[in-house]
Amino acid sequence: MNKELNNKRHLYLSLHRQLYILPVYLVSCSYVWAVNTDTIIANGTVRKIENLTLGNGTNGTFIIQAKNGADLTAKNLELNSSGIHGGGAWIDNSKLTAQGLQMNVTGSRGAGLYLANSSVAAIDNMTITGQGSADGLVLDGSWSGMGSLAKADVTDGTIKIDSGEAIRASAGELNLKNVSASTQGNSSYAVNVNSNAKVVIEGGDYSTQGTYSDAVWVASSDSSVTVDSATITTQGDRSSAVNAQRGTASVTNSTLEAQGENAYGLYTENQIQGDGLAVTTSGTGGAGMFTALGGQGRLNNSTIATYGKLAPGLLVYPGSKITANNVEVNTAGDESFGVWNYAGTLDISNSFISTSGYRASGLFVNGYSSSLKNDVSLDNVTLRADQAQAIQVDTSNLSLEVKHSILTGGNGQLMTVSNYEDALDPANNLYSNVTFNAVNSTLNGDISVSDPGNAVVVSLTSGSVLTGAVTHTTSLGLDDSSRWNMSNSSSVGQLINNGTITFSDVNKFDTLTVTGNYAGDGGLLVMNSVLGDDGSPSNKLIVGGDVLQGTTRISINNLGGGGAKTIEGIEIVDVGGTSIGSFVKSGRIVAGAYDYDLVRKGESWYLTSQLTPADPAPAPVSESPAAIRPEGGSYIANLAAGNTLFMMTLHDRLGEPQFSDALLSQREVTSLWLRQVGGHNVWRDGSGQLKTQSNRYVAQLGGDVARWSTDGADRWHVGFMTGYANSHSTTDSRVKGYHSKGSVEGYSVGGYATWYANKENHTGAWLDSWLQYSWFNNEVSGEELAAETYKSHGFTASLEGGYTWKAGQFSGSHGTLNEWFVQPQVQAVWMGVRADNHREANGTRIRGEGDGNWMTRVGIKTWLNGHHVRDNGKQREFQPYLALNWLHNTRNFATKMDDVRVSQDGATNLAEVKVGLEGKINPRMNVWGNVGVQIGDAGYSDTAALFGMKYNF
């Protein structure tokens, strides 16, 4: 191109030398004219030309010529040139101040305005039209070859050229403000910034139409262009909006559009910068920004949109680099990669990259070289490929650093790595070498390596999360803050797991295969298993080499397993080498009624429900060799409490009847009574593994609402009652060391009816009955398990009877009269409080058993009624008593955890002793209390203390 320009300059020089020796005719109007040969020459003079229309069709002639230091002012001129190599104005080592210039050039290879050598021009509102091969504005400070510079300021101009160059600058400085420049020919330019030129563009529109036609072209290494707030467009194959091919370019706050095959928005082989740009390309092979042959590109605060096949947003060729910050890239064509790195360097930060076309990867990396590699850095970048992998590596060396970013492959692939295979000679195969470091990043999709011969090293640090499968990676490492959600079976060469690896697909049982060594230092494996017997399906870690020093925790999610007794166990870690390091369970592993442990057998690791006590077993266990969960005891304790908290006898409710009926002489008597109970219960389950202790509190309030006699000798009582109660239990596993807590809290309402055969002396027969409805809120909280809440409710009812007779009477040494009473009793209580069926968070189905139990009691109560002479007339009496009972339950309280039944032991037959005191404080106030103990088999015991009081109205 420079040679072509030199030929043009020599031609112009020859023509102008001939022009200067032609005869001219000077007239008073200060210009020389002939028909279509108007010419004005200013030779070292100061001239002013206004309001003229001039034309010249002579070949090699410019209508206005200023030379040798002339100072020319032109205003409102129309210059029409039609000669070959002619033009509107030639300014040579002179000054031009112009306004309102209109130049029409129709001659071949002409020029509208030519500024040569050290010319200086200030031009406002200039219009140039050029037809054929005519150029528009030419700055040529080196025309004479003496190293001079031409300078020009052009404001508010329009330059429209057919096939030549709208603006060309060589050895000069050109400032363009609000200028519109366009060409339509092939290999033509709206602005050609050539040798030793500096062009500043502010505002305006610059466009080309034609193949190899750049809107702005910086053609030499000593030239530069600065563009601000302009609109730059090209329409033509292999054309660029801004082409800093060998020079430098800075483009800000502008709109760039390139239409055509292999058309680029920004291109450089030297240096180009963009800020605040909107770049659009249309056509196959286009690119938003393209750097090649060592070019350096920098793009900030900009958007890029490409439409067309194989049209990336950013494209880097070998040895070149692009740095982008706060950039949004959207590509729409097939295989139009978001960014394409071909053995170059990409540094992208705070940006968004999206592709929507078929096989359009977010980042495409290729270019195999023994001396060059691809360097890519993504910092705070969101990269998304709707129909392809986020990263595609094709037979290349790549160093990829991803920080604080989100990468998503729309086809389920995060990164694919491929290699070249020579079908005839495998020795010629070429393999990729990839280092992928992710820092605090979210990576969505699989990492798929086509052949283990590719070296792919992946590192996840600082809270990075990978969701997808991994195949054939050389190594994968997670630090203690990072996570891998493994969505499919995977294989890696070496695995360092100091973070968390989760087998995330719960619909199948994937396998993680480590062909080499595995190392874990505080890492966690979250695996899934159907917890049952030895044949239960489960995720598995297969280690072909050794398990190196360190401890890995394993958490198991139960996928529907109901628990079962194991023999060998469920293998979850298969080690081909030596287990130098260890695996331990993280948290409880439970299924149904069983607790599972993680144990080593040989070099591998198994889940087993067999007993592996935390402490030496206190006693042989005969019923089950499997480990029972302590939560079973809590469910039982809750159900038992719901059925027994409000259970009572007649004397628990009213004390001694003869005290309660002290106001028989009154026709209408009402009463209000309150009883409070505190108790402690201890029992074991049927396997002997679980021990449960509970504490309870009961408060009941009631009173008679009616009383009458049917024959004058008997008496009937009817009343209502309500109550509040709670119970808190703890169940410990003696073989596992785990515990669980249960709690019940609820209320009751009910009524009672009582009949006495002899109302006068209170001996003889009596009957008592009551019916209550109770409802409770229940909770079971297992150690390291989620708390479970559910409800229970139902009726309880009692029928009780007895017979009282006076066994004897004697006087004491201190003036007391003692009467001895004996009262056999029998009672039947029906328990109908039922717990709602419940499913735990781990999937275990819980169903209580034992409601519908009949508790029968047979016993005898005996007391002494002592009266001292000092109490004569005071109506105050006290009597101590002793009660002995035998209790039988027809059903044991139990819970079924899936299909395994855990039951309360030792409560079928109970012996009970109560010691108490009943008294009358005055005719209206009665009090009573007792302490009772129940003893059963298998360590069952219950201790309770009761206090009651009643006031008669």
Side-chain angles (χ1 to χ4, degrees), residues 870-903:
R870 288 177 299 182
D871 293 328
N872 289 340
K874 297 181 180 179
Q875 298 184 2
R876 181 172 59 193
E877 296 182 58
F878 294 94
Q879 62 184 32
Y881 71 87
L882 172 68
L884 301 175
N885 295 300
W886 176 83
L887 293 83
H888 175 71
N889 290 285
T890 60
R891 300 186 66 185
N892 292 327
F893 289 107
T895 186
K896 290 198 72 173
M897 307 178 76
D898 284 335
D899 296 324
V900 178
R901 187 175 187 269
V902 183
S903 63

Side-chain angles (χ1 to χ4, degrees), residues 81 104-110 129-135 160-164:
S81 172
N104 303 307
V105 182
T106 60
S108 176
R109 305 188 67 84
T129 61
Q131 299 181 14
S133 59
D135 296 331
K160 186 174 183 181
I161 304 299
D162 277 354
S163 60

Side-chain angles (χ1 to χ4, degrees), residues 851-873:
D851 57 285
N853 171 52
W854 282 96
M855 189 280 292
T856 55
R857 178 177 64 87
V858 177
I860 187 168
K861 177 182 177 181
T862 182
W863 68 88
L864 285 175
N865 187 338
H867 181 79
H868 198 277
V869 294
R870 288 177 299 182
D871 293 328
N872 289 340

Side-chain angles (χ1 to χ4, degrees), residues 565-812:
K565 299 175 184 179
T566 61
I567 300 174
E568 183 70 14
I570 306 168
E571 187 180 43
I572 60 171
V573 181
D574 181 358
V575 181
T578 303
S579 286
I580 302 170
S582 61
F583 296 89
V584 298
K585 69 176 181 177
S586 175
R588 300 274 300 283
I589 302 176
V590 300
Y594 298 119
D595 259 302
Y596 282 74
D597 261 329
L598 178 62
V599 299
R600 176 176 175 176
K601 295 186 177 182
E603 303 301 328
S604 300
W605 300 80
Y606 295 79
L607 293 173
T608 177
S609 62
Q610 288 181 329
L611 289 179
T612 54
D615 299 313
V621 179
S622 59
E623 183 174 318
S624 172
I628 302 299
R629 293 170 52 194
E631 290 77 22
S634 297
Y635 286 111
I636 296 170
N638 285 356
L639 183 58
N643 279 279
T644 59
L645 280 171
F646 294 112
M647 189 174 69
M648 73 190 87
T649 67
L650 170 65
H651 294 85
D652 289 339
R653 186 176 75 245
L654 294 178
E656 174 54 38
Q658 65 178 351
F659 293 160
S660 65
D661 300 330
L663 302 180
L664 290 176
S665 61
Q666 299 185 19
R667 292 180 58 85
E668 299 293 337
V669 178
T670 60
S671 64
L672 182 67
W673 56 264
L674 170 68
R675 82 178 185 103
Q676 298 186 82
V677 180
H680 180 72
N681 183 246
V682 179
W683 54 270
R684 290 179 172 83
D685 78 309
S687 72
Q689 298 181 36
L690 307 180
K691 180 180 180 180
T692 301
Q693 301 185 64
S694 62
N695 296 303
R696 65 185 181 275
Y697 170 75
V698 181
Q700 279 187 290
L701 181 69
D704 291 355
V705 295
R707 63 175 64 183
W708 69 91
S709 175
T710 59
D711 58 6
D714 67 352
R715 187 173 78 252
W716 293 82
H717 294 251
V718 174
F720 290 100
M721 55 189 173
T722 185
Y724 164 80
N726 65 60
S727 175
H728 299 276
S729 64
T730 300
T731 300
D732 294 298
S733 170
R734 299 191 300 159
V735 296
K736 288 296 183 182
Y738 295 124
H739 69 269
S740 68
K741 295 183 180 295
S743 67
V744 177
E745 184 177 33
Y747 303 88
S748 71
V749 293
Y752 57 88
T754 309
W755 170 77
Y756 299 104
N758 188 335
K759 68 177 183 178
E760 295 295 336
N761 56 22
H762 308 294
T763 59
W766 55 266
L767 290 173
D768 181 69
S769 64
W770 50 258
L771 175 67
Q772 298 183 86
Y773 178 78
S774 306
W775 65 97
F776 301 93
N777 292 321
N778 302 262
E779 181 175 284
V780 171
S781 180
E783 184 177 356
E784 301 178 9
L785 299 179
E788 305 289 341
T789 59
Y790 59 98
K791 297 184 181 299
S792 59
H793 47 85
F795 289 93
T796 52
S798 169
L799 180 63
E800 181 182 5
Y803 191 91
T804 306
W805 71 85
K806 187 175 179 178
Q809 177 177 312
F810 61 92
S811 297

Side-chain angles (χ1 to χ4, degrees), residues 832-853:
V833 174
R834 174 175 296 182
D836 293 345
N837 291 340
H838 175 67
R839 183 179 289 273
E840 292 184 318
N842 59 50
T844 301
R845 301 183 308 276
I846 304 298
R847 182 168 60 86
E849 294 184 353
D851 57 285
N853 171 52

Side-chain angles (χ1 to χ4, degrees), residues 224-298:
S224 67
V225 65
T226 300
V227 181
D228 182 64
S229 303
T231 299
I232 305 172
T233 61
T234 65
Q235 297 182 42
D237 297 344
R238 301 186 180 276
S239 300
S240 299
V242 177
N243 180 359
Q245 183 172 358
R246 295 182 178 86
T248 63
S250 175
V251 187
T252 57
N253 306 315
S254 297
T255 299
L256 283 64
E257 182 176 356
Q259 301 180 30
E261 186 175 339
N262 295 322
Y264 314 126
L266 300 162
Y267 175 83
T268 189
E269 297 170 9
N270 188 340
Q271 188 174 55
I272 194 167
Q273 299 184 42
D275 196 333
L277 306 184
V279 182
T280 304
T281 71
S282 302
T284 300
M289 174 180 273
F290 181 9
T291 61
L293 298 177
Q296 306 286 307
R298 183 177 294 273

Side-chain angles (χ1 to χ4, degrees), residues 77 106 271 318 386 398 412 505 507 528 618 627 674 760 877 883 914:
L77 300 182
T106 60
Q271 188 174 55
D386 289 348
L398 169 63
D505 193 335
N507 297 312
N528 306 303
L674 170 68
E760 295 295 336
E877 296 182 58
K914 284 185 179 180

